[in-house]
Amino acid sequence: MHFYCLPAALILGPEAMKRVIAQTFPTNPSLRTPVDLGAALRSARTTAGLSLDEAALGLGISKKTLLNLEQGAPSVAIGTALHAAAQLGVALFMVPATHKDLARRKILSEA
């Protein structure tokens, strides 16, 4: 009887061999665009060492939807975006526009 060892990429596909490289979290806490949220989500996912496939599976969404979120596509449903943020550990806050500069300074001073 002979046993052969096959590389994991042949068994599991090329995704299994990709290393996840952590992206830095955005330094500006202001959320102004879908791209801002996408950068925070990508940072949270990669810092956790999760591939797109793993994170999408855990979130219960398609890989394409997660990729769209991370790229800042404005077409992703707000509920999906909020669910992904909560599950990936990205905190979102609401403050009146008149207090946004005060809130931003406070967040940055405590970081």
Side-chain angles (χ1 to χ4, degrees), residues 8-91:
L10 292 177
I11 299 168
L12 303 173
E15 286 293 315
M17 297 304 294
K18 288 186 179 177
R19 203 176 83 194
V20 177
I21 299 171
Q23 304 292 308
T24 58
F25 201 83
T27 55
N28 186 349
S30 297
L31 175 60
R32 296 172 312 243
T33 68
V35 172
D36 294 337
L37 179 58
L41 294 176
R42 176 172 287 152
S43 172
R45 175 183 62 78
T46 59
T47 298
L50 297 171
S51 69
L52 274 169
D53 288 324
E54 293 166 330
L57 182 64
L59 292 168
I61 61 176
S62 72
K63 179 180 173 181
K64 179 68 174 159
T65 298
L66 182 54
L67 185 60
N68 285 341
L69 266 172
E70 289 187 0
Q71 291 176 340
S75 59
V76 178
I78 187 72
T80 301
L82 293 174
H83 172 72
Q87 294 302 306
L88 290 171
V90 176

Side-chain angles (χ1 to χ4, degrees), residues 26-32 93 95-111:
T27 55
N28 186 349
S30 297
L31 175 60
R32 296 172 312 243
F93 297 91
V95 295
T98 56
H99 293 97
K100 71 178 180 181
D101 290 332
L102 175 63
R104 182 179 174 279
R105 285 193 303 273
K106 183 74 172 163
I107 289 168
L108 289 174
S109 73
E110 293 185 14

